[in-house]
């Protein structure tokens, strides 16, 4: 009798082939509306989806939102309107491989590429000389950390997220981060203020299993580049703020908070209600938004 794993393999191949030829489900009216209100820009032949809303009159503040794995920009839908009442520009993108952006395969997906895409979007929008507030979650936290590292030389800048993924024994690095610095992504002229973290998750369009396999290499990248990304966090002079759901299985309570406060004692923290888990911006959008705005308005 053949080994069990051979049988499983023989069965899996045709099932996978069938799956890959199943058309994606129809988009809901909400997702169709989300897509129709967005745009695309091109980064190295890849079409990248983004939304850019003009909000508060009289404010010059800009916030860029970075989603997690395996999610998309739609994760921010419940707080989008609230953010537009505070910020002049609210911007979110779907990373390559996610949501409505291209999903090339095979492809060497990397945190470094995603960070360059964010920088490319900021340049595309003509905002590279302005202060950018960055709100990130999960996978987006690591992208934010790479952006932080790039902006460090010769100073130190911002952020918070990786901590959960990298420090709590690489607890899986899911959480959310907000960070702000001046004068622009990829630049390095002056720390400013803010950062915070939390979590999220779900894709606007199906990410096929093979695409997900390529993207999941980010787990190994986190381990390989731990010193680079955690070091950026620990070196920053930018104020940090963590928004945390105590029921988060990825960053268990109270161990995660204890480690976070030990590693980043300068950071402030907002702990949401006991029943809030890994997606606070979806589970408790009002509490999440209030915590975020209280932090941002404290400067």
């Amino acid at each position: 009798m053949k080994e069990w794993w051979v049988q499983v393999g023989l069965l899996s191949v045709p099932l996978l082939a069938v799956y890959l030829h199943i058309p994606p489900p129809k988009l809901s009216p909400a997702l169709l509306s989300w897509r129709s209100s967005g745009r695309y820009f091109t980064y190295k032949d890849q079409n990248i989806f983004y939304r850019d809303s003009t909000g508060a009159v009289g404010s010059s503040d800009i916030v860029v939102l970075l989603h997690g794995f395996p999610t998309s920009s739609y994760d921010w839908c419940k707080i989008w309107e609230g953010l537009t009442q505070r910020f002049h520009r609210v911007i979110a993108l779907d990373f390559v491989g996610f949501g409505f952006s291209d999903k090339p395969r095979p492809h060497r997906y990397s945190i470094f590429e995603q960070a360059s895409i964010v920088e490319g979007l900021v340049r595309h929008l003509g905002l590279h000389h302005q202060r950018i507030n960055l709100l990130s979650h999960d996978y987006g936290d690591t992208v934010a950390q790479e952006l932080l590292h790039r902006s460090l030389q010769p100073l130190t800048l911002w952020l918070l997220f990786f901590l959960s993924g990298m420090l709590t024994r690489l607890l899986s690095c899911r959480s959310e981060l907000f960070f702000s610095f001046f004068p622009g992504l990829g630049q390095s002229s002056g720390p400013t203020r803010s950062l915070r973290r939390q979590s999220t998750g779900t894709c606007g369009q199906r990410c096929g299993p093979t695409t997900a396999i390529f993207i999941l290499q980010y787990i190994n990248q986190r381990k390989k580049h731990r010193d680079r990304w955690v070091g950026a966090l620990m070196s920053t002079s930018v104020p940090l703020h963590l928004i945390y759901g105590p029921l988060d299985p990825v960053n268990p309570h109270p161990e995660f908070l204890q480690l976070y406060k030990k590693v980043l004692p300068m950071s402030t923290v907002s702990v949401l209600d006991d029943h809030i888990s890994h997606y606070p911006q979806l589970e408790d959008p009002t509490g999440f938004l209030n915590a975020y705005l209280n932090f941002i308005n404290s400067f």
Side-chain angles (χ1 to χ4, degrees):
M1 184 175 179
K2 295 181 179 179
E3 296 289 344
W4 67 268
W5 55 269
V6 174
Q7 298 181 51
V8 171
L10 292 174
L11 179 62
S12 299
V13 170
L15 289 177
L16 179 60
V18 170
Y19 176 84
L20 291 176
H21 287 85
I22 297 175
K26 292 184 178 180
L27 298 179
S28 68
L31 280 173
L32 287 171
S33 175
W34 188 265
R35 184 176 64 181
S36 66
S37 64
R39 306 172 193 172
Y40 290 85
F41 85 104
T42 302
Y43 177 83
K44 294 186 176 179
D45 298 325
Q46 304 295 342
N47 293 315
I48 304 300
F49 175 84
Y50 71 95
R51 288 193 78 199
D52 178 9
S53 295
T54 301
V57 176
S59 171
S60 60
D61 290 346
I62 301 163
V63 61
V64 174
L65 314 176
L66 306 181
H67 67 80
F69 176 92
T71 67
S72 74
S73 57
Y74 188 68
D75 277 347
W76 307 107
C77 65
K78 290 188 176 182
I79 64 169
W80 193 269
E81 183 177 354
L83 290 173
T84 62
Q85 295 175 15
R86 169 59 179 79
F87 292 92
H88 175 61
R89 299 275 289 275
V90 180
I91 300 163
L93 77 161
D94 290 348
F95 291 125
V96 64
F98 297 80
F100 296 119
S101 292
D102 283 352
K103 302 173 183 63
R105 62 185 188 203
H107 184 75
R108 189 181 295 274
Y109 290 92
S110 76
I111 295 297
F112 301 101
E113 177 188 39
Q114 306 288 23
S116 294
I117 289 173
V118 176
E119 291 180 319
L121 175 59
V122 170
R123 287 193 298 270
H124 173 74
L125 296 175
L127 302 175
H128 49 292
H129 292 303
Q130 298 188 42
R131 184 180 68 199
I132 302 293
N133 295 297
L134 240 185
L135 181 58
S136 73
H137 156 255
D138 193 78
Y139 180 89
D141 291 337
T142 311
V143 176
Q145 283 176 272
E146 170 57 21
L147 291 168
L148 172 63
H149 176 83
R150 295 180 186 188
S151 68
L152 277 177
Q153 33 279 298
L155 28 114
T156 67
L157 241 148
W158 62 290
L159 106 171
L160 131 58
F161 135 78
F162 192 30
L163 200 85
S164 84
M166 285 308 214
L167 298 195
T168 54
R169 196 223 82 196
L170 307 146
L171 277 185
S172 92
C173 242
R174 306 188 176 199
S175 90
E176 168 191 340
L177 144 73
F178 161 74
F179 113 75
S180 159
F181 71 92
F182 179 91
L185 294 175
Q187 306 275 329
S188 60
S189 46
T192 74
R193 72 183 201 225
S194 25
L195 174 132
R196 119 159 157 249
R197 90 167 246 191
Q198 154 213 336
S199 42
T200 281
T202 42
C203 235
Q205 284 186 308
R206 185 180 67 191
C207 299
T210 52
T211 302
I213 289 171
F214 290 122
I215 294 173
L216 277 169
Q217 290 304 309
Y218 82 92
I219 298 296
N220 292 330
Q221 293 167 24
R222 281 175 168 172
K223 296 178 182 179
K224 180 178 180 180
H225 302 289
R226 180 187 185 281
D227 290 346
R228 175 188 182 98
W229 292 330
V230 176
L233 272 181
M234 298 175 70
S235 300
T236 185
S237 60
V238 172
L240 311 179
H241 186 71
L242 165 68
I243 298 179
Y244 179 67
L247 206 59
D248 187 349
V250 177
N251 305 298
H253 186 271
E255 293 83 3
F256 170 73
L257 270 186
Q258 292 170 349
L259 177 59
Y260 180 83
K261 291 178 179 179
K262 178 179 179 180
V263 177
L264 295 179
M266 74 295 290
S267 174
T268 53
V269 176
S270 292
V271 179
L272 301 179
D273 291 345
D274 290 345
H275 66 281
I276 303 303
S277 182
H278 189 64
Y279 302 98
Q281 76 277 32
L282 295 174
E283 299 171 50
D284 183 12
T286 299
F288 178 86
L289 189 61
N290 287 339
Y292 175 69
L293 294 181
N294 286 338
F295 170 64
I296 205 82
N297 291 334
S298 67
F299 295 92

